Amino acid sequence: MSAPTPTRAAVLDLGSNSFHVLVADVEGPHVDTVARAREMRHLGRTLVRRGELDAATVELAAATVDRHLRLARRAGAEEVVVVATAALREPEAAELLERLTELIGRPPTVLHGHEEARLAHLGARAAVLADDRPLLVLDLGGGSLELAVGSGTRIDASTSVLLGASRLAATVEGDPPDPEELDGLIARLDGELAGALPALQHHATERVVAVGGTVRAMARHLAARADRWLPASVNLAPLDLDELEAATAELLAATTAERTRLEGVSSRRADHLHIAGLVLVRTLHALGVRHAVVSDWGLREGVLLDRFGDLRAIPGDARRSHEVGRLVRASRLDERDGLRLARLARRIDRALSEGEDEGAQGLLDAAAQLHDIGSILPLRRQHEHGAYVIEQAELRGFSPRELAIVLSIVRFLPSRGVSGRYPPFASLDLDDRALARRLLGVLRLAVMLSADGEAEVVALRRSGELLEITVRDTAGGVERLARDATDLEGRLRADLGIAVAIRSAPGG
């Protein structure tokens, strides 16, 4: 039976702060990005400051949507869904909606707050690999703040309040805000949250996920302040309330120009990141939680899953396996060779560890299948390039910590040692550095053993600091492997604390 064909679909998300298009292949619970684009339009800020969308603003917005529609068609989207959020819910946006209806050929779907919260919950849940325990998703947009709590695909309660970062920033006159203005803003936030949150309180959970472009920008700023490495994807990055309060106080005390010079602050977000931080701080306080994580999926992915996909939860190992396989196929690597190497590496790790650590072996699988990805580029230092490709690939299902381990293995596989200056490795604690070195040694050994296609590993046995590997071959492979093991002896002792002895199988 042939595998099902993914649906290539696009979603245009017309937000209060920015317009986005996402084109993706949707199959079951998977959303694989094909193309995407974003343009900042600041409709919410314009509405607050002017009370209307003038003709020039309407035409700029329409031109953006036209570009996004053309991108979706060029990327082969069979279906296009257009959704609009807070700013386009306003009566003053009626002219823009008419213009967009004419351009698209049908009216955009203007999402009410509860539906926006539901869809963001679906997208975030899929990205952070949540099980069926209650999960609260906080979606901070430019025009509004949505919160939804639910278990699995069921939403138990949701709420939407007009506390978007751009909307609020447009009401602040001081740069930076003066103390009186700031006190008034905090009072407004606390008052509106106090009115909105009772609907969620009896579903309260300590598992909180935050989504939205400004949330991701804040996660990057927090990481930069703490000198903490993050990959291209900020998925599962932490939002710690203590860090968030300290960073927000600094942002609120700075002018917009000064904020642009702070590490990790994008110039596109500098005019409202301080207000976003304040919304996040007051919301986490109101919820009574001190820690959240970031999802880099949200509304757009939720729309695609809801319309074209499968909403069932999938385990983390299945998500990781899918994501690694996607990158392998996109890079035109030999998928079967990678899987064979991963199986051999697992056998070695089990022999050395005298047990099975599924979490560690999942990372070993990924490194084994992707270790040679740099070979797609005809350049020197291919493992450096390979690690960079993996870092930028936004692999779903890996936390920053897990991805740092995989990158360290791939980057230093052909090297004599691991550099503590390599940012992903430097971000790991001592235990995880030891784990990365161990898995690196295991993969080095697996690559050595699989390099000679004539040899077959039939047994692995550890005895103290010696790993005996029994090999069957017909073309002198045992002697070659023994020489290779001698060459690798120093590195294997450093990584694994063992020596390796190659034995010939009886009759081999």
mmCIF file of all heavy atoms in Angstrom, residues 108-127:
data_model
loop_
_atom_site.group_PDB
_atom_site.id
_atom_site.type_symbol
_atom_site.label_atom_id
_atom_site.label_comp_id
_atom_site.label_asym_id
_atom_site.label_seq_id
_atom_site.Cartn_x
_atom_site.Cartn_y
_atom_site.Cartn_z
ATOM 1 N N PRO A 108 -12.058 36.965 4.124
ATOM 2 C CA PRO A 108 -11.188 36.277 5.083
ATOM 3 C C PRO A 108 -12.019 35.794 6.275
ATOM 4 O O PRO A 108 -13.051 36.386 6.602
ATOM 5 C CB PRO A 108 -10.207 37.380 5.526
ATOM 6 C CG PRO A 108 -10.328 38.469 4.514
ATOM 7 C CD PRO A 108 -11.709 38.388 3.967
ATOM 8 N N THR A 109 -11.566 34.736 6.897
ATOM 9 C CA THR A 109 -12.228 34.249 8.107
ATOM 10 C C THR A 109 -11.736 35.079 9.289
ATOM 11 O O THR A 109 -10.563 34.992 9.665
ATOM 12 C CB THR A 109 -11.912 32.761 8.348
ATOM 13 O OG1 THR A 109 -12.366 32.006 7.225
ATOM 14 C CG2 THR A 109 -12.591 32.259 9.621
ATOM 15 N N VAL A 110 -12.610 35.911 9.831
ATOM 16 C CA VAL A 110 -12.242 36.732 10.984
ATOM 17 C C VAL A 110 -12.505 35.903 12.238
ATOM 18 O O VAL A 110 -13.643 35.575 12.553
ATOM 19 C CB VAL A 110 -13.042 38.043 11.010
ATOM 20 C CG1 VAL A 110 -12.632 38.879 12.230
ATOM 21 C CG2 VAL A 110 -12.825 38.838 9.722
ATOM 22 N N LEU A 111 -11.434 35.523 12.913
ATOM 23 C CA LEU A 111 -11.550 34.628 14.066
ATOM 24 C C LEU A 111 -11.968 35.417 15.304
ATOM 25 O O LEU A 111 -11.358 36.441 15.635
ATOM 26 C CB LEU A 111 -10.207 33.950 14.340
ATOM 27 C CG LEU A 111 -9.619 33.099 13.212
ATOM 28 C CD1 LEU A 111 -8.208 32.657 13.585
ATOM 29 C CD2 LEU A 111 -10.499 31.890 12.934
ATOM 30 N N HIS A 112 -12.988 34.926 15.996
ATOM 31 C CA HIS A 112 -13.277 35.522 17.300
ATOM 32 C C HIS A 112 -12.239 35.019 18.307
ATOM 33 O O HIS A 112 -11.508 34.051 18.056
ATOM 34 C CB HIS A 112 -14.705 35.213 17.758
ATOM 35 C CG HIS A 112 -15.029 33.760 17.872
ATOM 36 N ND1 HIS A 112 -14.564 32.970 18.907
ATOM 37 C CD2 HIS A 112 -15.782 32.944 17.084
ATOM 38 C CE1 HIS A 112 -15.022 31.747 18.760
ATOM 39 N NE2 HIS A 112 -15.748 31.691 17.670
ATOM 40 N N GLY A 113 -12.134 35.677 19.422
ATOM 41 C CA GLY A 113 -11.050 35.415 20.357
ATOM 42 C C GLY A 113 -10.976 33.985 20.835
ATOM 43 O O GLY A 113 -9.887 33.409 20.958
ATOM 44 N N HIS A 114 -12.120 33.366 21.115
ATOM 45 C CA HIS A 114 -12.105 31.998 21.637
ATOM 46 C C HIS A 114 -11.631 31.003 20.579
ATOM 47 O O HIS A 114 -10.919 30.040 20.893
ATOM 48 C CB HIS A 114 -13.497 31.612 22.160
ATOM 49 C CG HIS A 114 -13.893 32.371 23.385
ATOM 50 N ND1 HIS A 114 -13.457 32.021 24.643
ATOM 51 C CD2 HIS A 114 -14.655 33.483 23.544
ATOM 52 C CE1 HIS A 114 -13.948 32.881 25.528
ATOM 53 N NE2 HIS A 114 -14.672 33.773 24.891
ATOM 54 N N GLU A 115 -12.004 31.250 19.320
ATOM 55 C CA GLU A 115 -11.542 30.368 18.247
ATOM 56 C C GLU A 115 -10.037 30.542 18.016
ATOM 57 O O GLU A 115 -9.312 29.569 17.782
ATOM 58 C CB GLU A 115 -12.321 30.651 16.964
ATOM 59 C CG GLU A 115 -11.902 29.816 15.754
ATOM 60 C CD GLU A 115 -12.208 28.319 15.890
ATOM 61 O OE1 GLU A 115 -12.707 27.885 16.945
ATOM 62 O OE2 GLU A 115 -11.936 27.594 14.927
ATOM 63 N N GLU A 116 -9.561 31.774 18.094
ATOM 64 C CA GLU A 116 -8.129 32.022 17.972
ATOM 65 C C GLU A 116 -7.369 31.300 19.082
ATOM 66 O O GLU A 116 -6.317 30.697 18.851
ATOM 67 C CB GLU A 116 -7.859 33.527 18.036
ATOM 68 C CG GLU A 116 -6.413 33.898 17.773
ATOM 69 C CD GLU A 116 -6.183 35.396 17.792
ATOM 70 O OE1 GLU A 116 -7.159 36.170 17.809
ATOM 71 O OE2 GLU A 116 -5.004 35.783 17.809
ATOM 72 N N ALA A 117 -7.916 31.350 20.293
ATOM 73 C CA ALA A 117 -7.279 30.668 21.427
ATOM 74 C C ALA A 117 -7.255 29.157 21.200
ATOM 75 O O ALA A 117 -6.248 28.493 21.485
ATOM 76 C CB ALA A 117 -8.025 30.995 22.719
ATOM 77 N N ARG A 118 -8.343 28.598 20.686
ATOM 78 C CA ARG A 118 -8.410 27.140 20.442
ATOM 79 C C ARG A 118 -7.367 26.712 19.425
ATOM 80 O O ARG A 118 -6.642 25.720 19.615
ATOM 81 C CB ARG A 118 -9.805 26.764 19.954
ATOM 82 C CG ARG A 118 -9.990 25.258 19.700
ATOM 83 C CD ARG A 118 -11.354 24.950 19.103
ATOM 84 N NE ARG A 118 -11.422 25.274 17.697
ATOM 85 C CZ ARG A 118 -11.037 24.468 16.710
ATOM 86 N NH1 ARG A 118 -10.525 23.273 16.993
ATOM 87 N NH2 ARG A 118 -11.149 24.829 15.450
ATOM 88 N N LEU A 119 -7.269 27.459 18.325
ATOM 89 C CA LEU A 119 -6.344 27.082 17.261
ATOM 90 C C LEU A 119 -4.886 27.237 17.712
ATOM 91 O O LEU A 119 -4.033 26.408 17.378
ATOM 92 C CB LEU A 119 -6.620 27.920 16.017
ATOM 93 C CG LEU A 119 -7.967 27.641 15.341
ATOM 94 C CD1 LEU A 119 -8.290 28.716 14.313
ATOM 95 C CD2 LEU A 119 -7.981 26.257 14.705
ATOM 96 N N ALA A 120 -4.592 28.288 18.466
ATOM 97 C CA ALA A 120 -3.232 28.451 18.995
ATOM 98 C C ALA A 120 -2.889 27.309 19.938
ATOM 99 O O ALA A 120 -1.753 26.825 19.965
ATOM 100 C CB ALA A 120 -3.107 29.793 19.713
ATOM 101 N N HIS A 121 -3.866 26.856 20.719
ATOM 102 C CA HIS A 121 -3.650 25.729 21.638
ATOM 103 C C HIS A 121 -3.289 24.473 20.850
ATOM 104 O O HIS A 121 -2.358 23.736 21.211
ATOM 105 C CB HIS A 121 -4.909 25.511 22.476
ATOM 106 C CG HIS A 121 -4.735 24.584 23.635
ATOM 107 N ND1 HIS A 121 -4.724 23.213 23.495
ATOM 108 C CD2 HIS A 121 -4.568 24.831 24.957
ATOM 109 C CE1 HIS A 121 -4.563 22.653 24.689
ATOM 110 N NE2 HIS A 121 -4.460 23.610 25.592
ATOM 111 N N LEU A 122 -4.020 24.220 19.754
ATOM 112 C CA LEU A 122 -3.729 23.033 18.936
ATOM 113 C C LEU A 122 -2.313 23.084 18.373
ATOM 114 O O LEU A 122 -1.583 22.088 18.395
ATOM 115 C CB LEU A 122 -4.735 22.938 17.781
ATOM 116 C CG LEU A 122 -6.186 22.613 18.128
ATOM 117 C CD1 LEU A 122 -7.036 22.621 16.864
ATOM 118 C CD2 LEU A 122 -6.293 21.279 18.847
ATOM 119 N N GLY A 123 -1.913 24.246 17.843
ATOM 120 C CA GLY A 123 -0.581 24.360 17.262
ATOM 121 C C GLY A 123 0.513 24.221 18.297
ATOM 122 O O GLY A 123 1.499 23.512 18.089
ATOM 123 N N ALA A 124 0.344 24.888 19.435
ATOM 124 C CA ALA A 124 1.371 24.828 20.483
ATOM 125 C C ALA A 124 1.491 23.427 21.053
ATOM 126 O O ALA A 124 2.599 22.934 21.289
ATOM 127 C CB ALA A 124 1.034 25.823 21.588
ATOM 128 N N ARG A 125 0.377 22.794 21.297
ATOM 129 C CA ARG A 125 0.396 21.435 21.850
ATOM 130 C C ARG A 125 1.176 20.494 20.939
ATOM 131 O O ARG A 125 1.966 19.662 21.403
ATOM 132 C CB ARG A 125 -1.038 20.939 22.030
ATOM 133 C CG ARG A 125 -1.189 19.482 22.400
ATOM 134 C CD ARG A 125 -2.660 19.153 22.569
ATOM 135 N NE ARG A 125 -2.883 17.718 22.562
ATOM 136 C CZ ARG A 125 -3.137 17.008 21.469
ATOM 137 N NH1 ARG A 125 -3.192 17.609 20.283
ATOM 138 N NH2 ARG A 125 -3.321 15.705 21.532
ATOM 139 N N ALA A 126 0.998 20.626 19.629
ATOM 140 C CA ALA A 126 1.710 19.756 18.686
ATOM 141 C C ALA A 126 3.207 20.023 18.713
ATOM 142 O O ALA A 126 4.013 19.109 18.533
ATOM 143 C CB ALA A 126 1.157 19.957 17.276
ATOM 144 N N ALA A 127 3.605 21.277 18.944
ATOM 145 C CA ALA A 127 5.029 21.628 18.900
ATOM 146 C C ALA A 127 5.774 21.202 20.151
ATOM 147 O O ALA A 127 6.941 20.827 20.088
ATOM 148 C CB ALA A 127 5.199 23.123 18.691
#
